[in-house]
Amino acid sequence: MANKSDLPLHGSSLNIVRRCGPPLSEILRSKFGCVATIHGVDFSHQKTSTVNDEKRFAATLPGGVQVSVWKADLANFAVDAVVNAANEQLDHCGGLALALSKAGGPTIQSESHNHVRNNGPVKTGEAIALDAGALPCNKIIHAVGPWMPKNPSTSQLLEARRSLEKVVFSILYLVEQNRLQSVAIPAISSGIFNYPLADCANTIVTSVKRYCENPRSTAHLPKEILLVNIDHPTVDEMERACRRVFGNSPSGGKATTSAPVVHLKNVILTLKRGPIEQQQTDVLVNTTSSHRDLSEGLISSALLKEAGYKLQDEFRSASHKGLVIPTKGYNLRCKQVFHTICPRKDEKSAQQILYKSVLDCLGMAATKKHKSISFPAIGTGYLGFDRKDSARIMYSAVAEFARNFKGKMEVYFVIFPSDDNTYKAFEEEMAPPEQKASYPSSTQAADSSSPAAEREDGFRGNNERGPQISLHGPSSEVTAEAGRWLSGLLNRFSGPVVIRNNFIQHFGESEHQQLCRLTGVAIDEAIEKGRALLSVSGRSVEDVVVAVLQVEGMLCKVQREFAMEEKRGFMRDAGMTKMPFSELKVVDSASPEFKERDVFYRYHNLRLCKMQKVENPTLETLYDLKREQLRCTTPRQMLQRIPAHFCEMVSHVGFHAEFAPPKDPAYGAGIYFAGTVKKALEVWKCAKEENEEYVYFVEAEVLTGNSTRGTEGLILPPALGTDPNVRYDSVSGGPDVSVIFSGYQARPKYIITCRMGFPYKNTD
């Protein structure tokens, strides 16, 4: 079996991957050690905000960086990095800093304090990049802006301006160093630091412009710099500053309500209300009949009235090649008008022709070097198309065009102001991924009756086999396990998903806040016989699976933090200043120790696929110290059955009750071990074992010492006598089950991977 596996994506699985995005790769790496590469799925069009966020302005700098102004909550803003307006001590005790620290959880403040403790305060004008905790971004950049008195002098303002310029440069330098694609910057120092708001906005915007236009800064510029604030006055000042510095951009007109904006690679698609004839873009698109009479139809007649009758004269005499006839704009505020002739919906191939008409308009605009184009809601009037069909087909065509277009273009869907139903249909089509269904992705898919209609736009890419996830693991077994887990989620048809993982009990306030923010699903937490579980249910299977993956990401993060804390504890308990290197060494399948175990496991319908020796000097040191403390000279050779995603963790931090809770903790809430393979299969019997392909065991030396019978609910061994400080070393559940309450009492020796379904009678 190869160490690479490909999972094709289509239908709902494609929607799920689109919604989860690249973080899915991090989950697979963290859970299984697999590298996941997502092919043919274009994430560049994903909106970087929530549905309630408002985009006020956008401009593209000569270097290709898009600068935009948003009214939004930074704590919920999905970008690569958010900037925190911090103080020199990184004490996040007020304003934006406190809001981000609360939303991101305790990691943000603890890492900040660690940084100051190890490196000293962060000076004014400087910035540092640290872990973002539970925030929906990869990094949080703590930037220290200047503090000013309430009535600053001219010299104080000039000095503060230089510091603010410096901190913006520091932020963008960190973006460059960390190779981030997007960063959200607030109005640093404008709040409790008393920097005058108007000057603050102007300084930040001009500093961004200077940095991006400096040739020394172009090694790695982000794709997007987003100026994000939550309060109206600050957003207004940022917008004014951008308009002063960058000029009025067609993509940045102020809106009183949130206008859907979707990024499809280099194409920015915006939905807006307004008369088509009043739009100020390079191209306006008109739909008309084969009679070439512009007085027929609402859109044609409106354009004719505004442009004058020279438009009609040129249109009548223009040569007809293909589906698009270009003319001048005359009195219209455009360079050209593209006239399309589409059939009624009930005519043959009407949907494909509508799709191709939009695609041809975009292609012709690109050929003629136009930078912006406005479309009406084609087909929703006399031609008889359903509003949703028109929205779906037009959106699909724009996405198809965007896949291979290398330039920059702004595309507008312009809906007549009073046509609320059509606007709503297009708004739903352009909504964030969690609120929309599948879209077709080819000319065939424009016809909803076509088998290709299940494929989505924006995903085909250059992979001829279609969208897929490629998994590369350290072994064929790991790759297969990761693929089985992922496929089981992506290809679900119905029902709730239950996550069984005792690290759910480690969720803190920030994690529970994240759970509350999950939309479209119901979350139920429970503990059954000492095993924590979380059930996710909802009307939409896609919503459920997306929520499950978000929970898995939270669990991976909690587990990483747990492992880091354990390693720090190891160093303290072992008296070390540095953790020695640990590794897993694969045991040769031809070796006697491998062959001996292989024969033994086959008696239990299992075949030994891989055997890894754990070499961890720290765990050995702590185990030896515990053995001396217990005066136990004869450890037992025992087994623990463990989930795949905890195998590597055991090799690093040893045994913990969270890793492998038994089916029934009848002898206490400790760490369970079995004396035989048969007993291990009983103690950790899996509810869905018939679907499992691989089983994982850890072979260990266990210091059971002075033991007694265990009982349900024990969190420590019972007292030996009347002195509560003198206790048994472990408890038992019969001759083949032992329970310890300190992970130092066991040393992992081998991690064993077995494949199910290979009885001894089938061996040589």
Side-chain angles (χ1 to χ4, degrees):
M1 186 188 299
N3 290 6
K4 178 177 178 291
S5 176
D6 294 331
L7 279 71
L9 301 173
H10 51 80
S12 63
S13 66
L14 192 53
N15 286 344
I16 292 165
V17 172
R18 178 190 181 190
R19 291 171 60 178
C20 294
L24 176 58
S25 301
E26 176 59 25
I27 293 171
L28 289 161
R29 186 201 63 77
S30 184
K31 280 181 71 73
F32 300 102
C34 276
V35 175
T37 306
I38 304 174
H39 302 283
V41 180
D42 178 17
F43 297 106
S44 63
H45 68 287
Q46 282 189 298
K47 193 168 178 281
T48 57
S49 65
T50 66
V51 72
N52 294 320
D53 296 341
E54 180 183 347
K55 185 177 183 180
R56 290 287 194 88
F57 177 92
T60 302
L61 302 187
V65 180
Q66 186 179 92
V67 179
S68 55
V69 175
W70 292 80
K71 181 184 181 298
D73 182 0
L74 266 182
N76 296 313
F77 208 70
V79 283
D80 283 355
V82 297
V83 174
N84 173 37
N87 55 40
E88 292 186 346
Q89 297 296 328
L90 301 187
D91 282 326
H92 311 311
C93 53
L96 174 64
L98 180 60
L100 291 175
S101 183
K102 283 184 175 180
T107 299
I108 291 180
Q109 186 62 81
S110 64
E111 285 211 348
S112 298
H113 282 163
N114 288 339
H115 179 87
V116 172
R117 187 163 47 249
N118 296 329
N119 303 282
V122 181
K123 297 179 181 178
T124 300
E126 295 181 354
I128 60 163
L130 297 177
D131 188 88
L135 295 172
C137 55
N138 297 325
K139 293 285 184 181
I140 181 169
I141 297 175
H142 300 286
V144 181
W147 178 88
M148 297 180 67
K150 288 189 177 181
N151 297 300
S153 65
T154 302
S155 61
Q156 288 173 323
L157 180 59
L158 289 174
E159 183 181 353
R161 189 179 295 161
R162 285 192 290 269
S163 295
L164 187 55
E165 289 173 351
K166 182 181 177 182
V167 81
V168 173
F169 272 60
S170 298
I171 290 164
L172 295 177
Y173 178 73
L174 286 172
V175 170
E176 180 180 333
Q177 292 297 105
N178 288 275
R179 306 194 71 79
L180 303 171
Q181 297 299 314
S182 56
V183 58
I185 304 175
I188 301 166
S189 291
S190 66
I192 58 177
F193 277 30
N194 298 321
Y195 197 115
L197 180 56
D199 194 89
C200 172
N202 191 65
T203 302
I204 289 174
V205 172
T206 53
S207 300
V208 165
K209 186 174 185 289
R210 284 180 53 212
Y211 187 93
C212 293
E213 292 178 351
N214 187 338
R216 291 175 296 177
S217 304
T218 56
H220 175 81
L221 288 173
K223 290 182 179 179
E224 290 187 283
I225 298 173
L226 306 99
L227 306 175
V228 182
N229 295 276
I230 192 62
D231 60 299
H232 281 289
T234 306
V235 177
D236 289 343
E237 284 297 341
M238 280 293 178
E239 183 182 358
R240 289 191 194 101
C242 281
R243 293 192 185 282
R244 282 195 298 268
V245 174
F246 302 120
N248 288 316
S249 168
S251 62
K254 183 177 177 181
T256 57
T257 59
S258 177
V261 179
V262 179
H263 293 257
L264 298 159
K265 289 191 175 179
N266 295 324
V267 175
I268 301 174
L269 175 61
T270 302
L271 176 66
K272 63 185 298 187
R273 295 179 186 266
I276 188 71
E277 68 274 12
Q278 294 180 10
Q279 302 310 303
Q280 301 182 51
T281 50
D282 290 348
V283 178
L284 299 182
V285 176
N286 175 41
T287 57
T288 186
S289 68
S290 57
H291 305 302
R292 298 203 189 190
D293 185 352
L294 295 179
S295 64
E296 295 180 357
L298 294 175
I299 293 172
S300 294
S301 58
L303 290 170
L304 177 61
K305 181 178 179 181
E306 191 78 15
Y309 276 90
K310 289 184 179 180
L311 180 68
Q312 176 68 81
D313 294 341
E314 182 184 357
F315 182 48
R316 283 194 186 278
S317 60
S319 60
H320 186 192
K321 293 181 180 179
L323 298 172
V324 182
I325 304 171
T327 67
K328 296 177 184 177
Y330 297 100
N331 294 330
L332 294 165
R333 300 177 182 87
C334 64
K335 296 177 181 179
Q336 284 192 295
V337 178
F338 289 173
H339 306 267
T340 66
I341 300 174
C342 295
R344 287 182 56 81
K345 180 185 178 181
D346 53 9
E347 295 182 32
K348 184 178 179 180
S349 303
Q351 293 198 23
Q352 289 93 330
I353 293 173
L354 171 54
Y355 180 91
K356 193 173 188 306
S357 296
V358 176
L359 206 57
D360 287 357
C361 284
L362 293 164
M364 184 176 291
T367 301
K368 294 179 179 292
K369 309 298 183 183
H370 293 312
K371 299 298 184 184
S372 56
I373 183 171
S374 293
F375 288 89
I378 300 176
T380 57
Y382 170 76
L383 298 180
F385 282 83
D386 181 85
R387 296 177 178 89
K388 291 185 178 181
D389 287 343
S390 175
R392 173 176 54 83
I393 294 167
M394 291 180 66
Y395 183 92
S396 299
V398 175
E400 177 71 18
F401 167 76
R403 287 195 187 96
N404 301 312
F405 181 57
K406 305 301 182 185
K408 300 279 186 180
M409 188 176 292
E410 294 179 351
V411 179
Y412 295 86
F413 289 162
V414 182
I415 311 301
F416 193 73
S418 62
D419 193 352
D420 293 335
N421 291 332
T422 300
Y423 187 92
K424 183 178 179 181
F426 277 78
E427 186 177 38
E428 289 176 353
E429 188 68 23
M430 292 173 60
E434 64 269 19
Q435 297 183 8
K436 62 187 288 187
S438 302
Y439 306 112
S441 64
S442 65
T443 52
Q444 287 182 333
D447 182 352
S448 60
S449 64
S450 165
E454 289 186 358
R455 298 188 59 185
E456 285 196 10
D457 62 78
F459 296 95
R460 190 174 60 189
N462 297 321
N463 191 332
E464 294 181 357
R465 292 174 294 176
Q468 64 180 28
I469 295 180
S470 295
L471 299 176
H472 301 260
S475 68
S476 57
E477 296 81 19
V478 169
T479 306
E481 189 73 17
R484 184 192 64 79
W485 176 82
L486 182 59
S487 180
L489 280 177
L490 295 182
N491 298 307
R492 289 187 67 84
F493 293 103
S494 63
V497 176
V498 177
I499 301 171
R500 291 179 170 85
N501 187 323
N502 270 21
F503 277 95
I504 292 168
Q505 297 178 82
H506 288 244
F507 280 180
E509 182 181 353
S510 63
E511 286 79 23
H512 283 99
Q513 286 177 353
Q514 283 183 271
L515 291 177
C516 292
R517 289 197 292 265
L518 296 176
T519 58
V521 295
I523 306 289
D524 292 311
E525 291 184 60
I527 297 178
E528 296 178 356
K529 292 188 174 181
R531 305 178 78 180
L533 59 89
L534 188 149
S535 177
V536 185
S537 58
R539 291 183 180 179
S540 164
V541 175
E542 289 180 19
D543 286 345
V544 169
V545 175
V546 168
V548 166
L549 290 172
Q550 288 176 289
V551 173
E552 289 287 355
M554 293 160 61
L555 284 167
C556 290
K557 178 178 176 296
V558 167
Q559 289 159 197
R560 284 196 302 271
E561 292 175 348
F562 176 86
M564 290 173 60
E565 189 61 36
E566 283 299 305
K567 288 178 180 179
R568 285 193 285 265
F570 288 170
M571 293 169 62
R572 181 181 62 250
D573 294 346
M576 299 175 176
T577 57
K578 186 177 180 180
M579 283 280 289
F581 183 72
S582 63
E583 63 179 325
L584 284 169
K585 286 189 175 180
V586 176
V587 177
D588 190 343
S589 60
S591 66
E593 54 188 338
F594 187 100
K595 288 185 174 180
E596 176 187 341
R597 287 170 176 80
D598 186 28
V599 171
F600 184 71
Y601 277 102
R602 285 184 187 245
Y603 275 112
H604 301 279
N605 206 28
L606 301 167
R607 185 180 70 185
L608 202 160
C609 299
K610 184 172 65 175
M611 184 173 172
Q612 297 167 285
K613 186 175 182 180
V614 178
E615 295 192 352
N616 188 322
T618 307
L619 292 181
E620 291 178 14
T621 298
L622 293 168
Y623 173 80
D624 289 341
L625 289 172
K626 195 68 175 178
R627 182 166 56 183
E628 290 179 12
Q629 178 189 346
L630 299 181
R631 299 178 182 178
C632 181
T633 57
T634 55
R636 293 189 64 185
Q637 304 298 313
M638 305 192 80
L639 295 169
Q640 184 179 87
R641 183 178 172 182
I642 195 165
H645 50 277
F646 285 132
C647 288
E648 187 174 356
M649 207 166 176
V650 165
S651 72
H652 290 303
V653 299
F655 294 101
H656 292 271
E658 290 91 341
F659 296 170
K663 178 184 66 174
D664 183 6
Y667 311 111
I671 305 168
Y672 280 64
F673 291 91
T676 65
V677 174
K678 180 181 179 182
K679 180 57 70 171
L681 292 173
E682 291 177 6
V683 171
W684 289 280
K685 185 173 178 60
C686 179
K688 295 185 177 180
E689 199 165 273
E690 65 275 6
N691 296 324
E692 299 293 325
E693 184 176 1
Y694 294 97
V695 182
Y696 303 86
F697 299 95
V698 184
E699 189 175 311
E701 287 184 358
V702 183
L703 302 170
T704 56
N706 192 359
S707 186
T708 187
R709 184 79 176 185
T711 58
E712 188 174 352
L714 285 174
I715 58 172
L716 290 172
L720 266 170
T722 57
D723 186 350
N725 294 316
V726 181
R727 297 179 177 274
Y728 285 95
D729 301 323
S730 68
V731 299
S732 67
D736 289 332
V737 176
S738 289
V739 183
I740 60 175
F741 296 85
S742 167
Y744 294 171
Q745 284 180 232
R747 178 170 71 93
K749 292 179 59 181
Y750 298 101
I751 293 177
I752 293 170
T753 304
C754 294
R755 193 172 183 183
M756 299 189 72
F758 288 86
Y760 182 72
K761 63 181 180 181
N762 290 340
T763 63
D764 295 333

